[in-house]
Amino acid sequence: MQKGFTLLEVLVVMVIIGVTAGGVVLASGAVEDRRIERVGDRIVMDLQHARDRAALTGEPLAFETAAEGYRFLHRRWIDEGRAVEWVPLDDGLLGERQWPGRDLQFRLEIADREEAARRTGDGDRLLVPGIRAMPEFRVVIERGGVDAGWQVRRDDDGGVRLERGG
């Protein structure tokens, strides 16, 4: 009567465990990529909607990011129309959004920060004009402080798109 396992049996079990673990790791990476892609798609849709709204109303909007999420702002005239302040939109469609989970971070990079500051009062706000092309920008999506390989940016036609790669 045999006691224990043969070396071949142990090796077969180890190969099965290794292949299964590898499949789980690959599948979890694909799920994470899809989650990041969904978030990027949402930002693209919101920016396109903001641009359409600005074109219809003739009033530009601003986009800003923070540690907790992102939001859109609109101008409110103060001091009898001599000054403007940017206040958050709260209309449901372009209301404040929270980032999904604490593991993802988003960094807004604007090519011409001085122009952004002149137009919005803050170099970290992106102006969303209605008719003109949006300024050059990108929103880099990071995971754990490292570039996750996805970014939202202005395309060559002045629109907005999500792309893979840095």
Side-chain angles (χ1 to χ4, degrees):
M1 182 182 310
Q2 181 183 21
K3 291 185 178 187
F5 299 101
T6 67
L7 180 59
L8 182 60
E9 291 169 329
V10 170
L11 287 174
V12 168
V13 169
M14 289 181 70
V15 167
I16 291 171
I17 291 171
V19 168
T20 304
V24 168
V25 167
L26 289 174
S28 68
V31 167
E32 182 64 17
D33 277 352
R34 184 64 192 127
R35 180 175 75 115
I36 293 170
E37 187 177 10
R38 280 194 314 270
V39 171
D41 286 339
R42 180 58 188 247
I43 295 169
V44 168
M45 287 187 299
D46 285 348
L47 282 165
Q48 289 171 338
H49 179 73
R51 186 170 178 211
D52 291 345
R53 177 181 171 148
L56 287 172
T57 64
E59 286 292 320
L61 300 175
F63 171 79
E64 68 180 9
T65 61
E68 311 80 41
Y70 66 94
R71 64 185 181 173
F72 290 90
L73 302 105
H74 67 99
R75 293 187 300 194
R76 181 168 62 191
W77 293 97
I78 57 174
D79 197 19
E80 297 178 7
R82 291 187 298 250
V84 68
E85 68 178 346
W86 290 87
V87 294
L89 270 177
D90 190 18
D91 69 353
L93 291 175
L94 292 176
E96 191 167 327
R97 304 248 190 258
Q98 299 296 313
W99 300 126
R102 299 188 187 277
D103 61 326
L104 296 180
Q105 298 85 38
F106 300 78
R107 187 177 70 248
L108 175 61
E109 297 176 353
I110 302 171
D112 190 347
R113 291 184 106 60
E114 288 180 22
E115 178 69 8
R118 188 178 71 73
R119 293 179 156 274
T120 68
D122 186 333
D124 292 324
R125 285 187 191 139
L126 174 68
L127 183 71
V128 182
I131 298 171
R132 295 189 354 236
M134 293 179 71
E136 282 195 44
F137 77 94
R138 69 183 194 145
V139 177
V140 179
I141 303 173
E142 299 176 337
R143 185 179 328 141
V146 177
D147 189 335
W150 292 92
Q151 65 181 352
V152 175
R153 70 173 198 85
R154 188 190 86 174
D155 62 22
D156 295 335
D157 297 327
V160 183
R161 76 172 179 207
L162 174 67
E163 61 183 32
R164 177 108 187 172

